[in-house]
Amino acid sequence: MTAQPLHERDSLLAWLADRAIDQKTHDHSAVFRVEEGLELKAGLPGAHTKNLFLKDKKGRLWLISARQDTVIDLKSAPKAIGSAHLSFGNEALMFETLGVRPGSVTALGLINDINRRVTFVIDTRLWEADIVNFHPLTNTATTALSQTAFRRFLSEIGREPLVIEFGAA
């Protein structure tokens, strides 16, 4: 586990390298929503992601990561993940827990959740993908990790995800 939050891509990539977690990072223009950059993503192998930072009515925080074509119904998701009513978490809370700003939400931000306030939920199809692509704490790049490398990342930060099947669009 990291002792202090990592808010920069280079710090995250150095942390991965220090632990021999292989990755390949591609620079690109800023992408804020899944619909943006589809042409760019088409040229990169692997599963591209959508990541939702959510808060439930009991104040619990959730990060849901899924393939970009996954439908996540916020009305039925609470039952699937064992939560109450879900809404999007605000920017200040997102930065405080994951060290990222809107448009850059990523499972790699879990490295900054030192107090484990965020429950990590991953869609089955993403959990089973050979290669997964996430922003490296910034939406101006995409980091590709093999599933083995991604699971090593989670192990290194002491996180066990809740794996849920949401379904494709």
Side-chain angles (χ1 to χ4, degrees):
M1 178 74 82
T2 182
Q4 68 182 50
L6 304 174
H7 297 294
E8 297 175 358
R9 155 204 160 143
D10 292 342
S11 299
L12 171 67
L13 298 180
W15 186 93
L16 293 169
D18 287 347
R19 286 149 184 83
I21 298 174
D22 293 332
Q23 56 78 29
K24 182 164 176 93
T25 297
H26 307 271
D27 293 311
H28 52 70
S29 58
V31 177
F32 292 92
R33 296 185 344 256
V34 170
E35 298 80 22
E36 296 176 22
L38 290 178
E39 184 176 300
L40 162 91
K41 294 175 189 177
L44 301 176
H48 295 278
T49 59
K50 70 167 63 171
N51 299 276
L52 306 177
F53 178 70
L54 305 166
K55 182 177 181 178
D56 70 18
K57 71 178 185 179
K58 294 180 181 178
R60 295 188 312 175
L61 303 176
W62 303 85
L63 173 62
I64 298 177
S65 293
R67 289 178 73 112
Q68 70 182 6
D69 62 345
T70 302
V71 175
I72 300 173
D73 179 0
L74 293 184
K75 291 185 185 210
S76 61
K79 183 177 179 183
I81 66 175
S83 169
H85 173 80
L86 291 168
S87 60
F88 289 97
N90 68 43
E91 180 177 353
L93 195 53
M94 180 187 303
F95 190 76
E96 179 185 324
T97 56
L98 299 178
V100 297
R101 302 283 183 204
S104 297
V105 179
T106 172
L108 299 178
L110 290 167
I111 195 169
N112 291 318
D113 185 24
I114 298 168
N115 297 318
R116 291 190 167 86
R117 293 173 56 195
V118 179
T119 299
F120 181 44
V121 179
I122 189 167
D123 178 62
T124 302
R125 293 184 321 123
L126 189 58
W127 187 243
E128 295 172 350
D130 292 335
I131 297 172
V132 292
N133 292 288
F134 291 101
H135 288 311
L137 307 180
T138 178
N139 64 355
T140 58
T142 296
T143 296
L145 299 148
S146 69
Q147 190 60 243
T148 300
F150 179 59
R151 291 182 188 196
R152 281 216 30 242
F153 165 77
L154 292 174
S155 177
E156 286 284 335
I157 63 169
R159 300 304 287 259
E160 187 70 33
L162 178 58
V163 182
I164 300 290
E165 186 168 344
F166 286 104

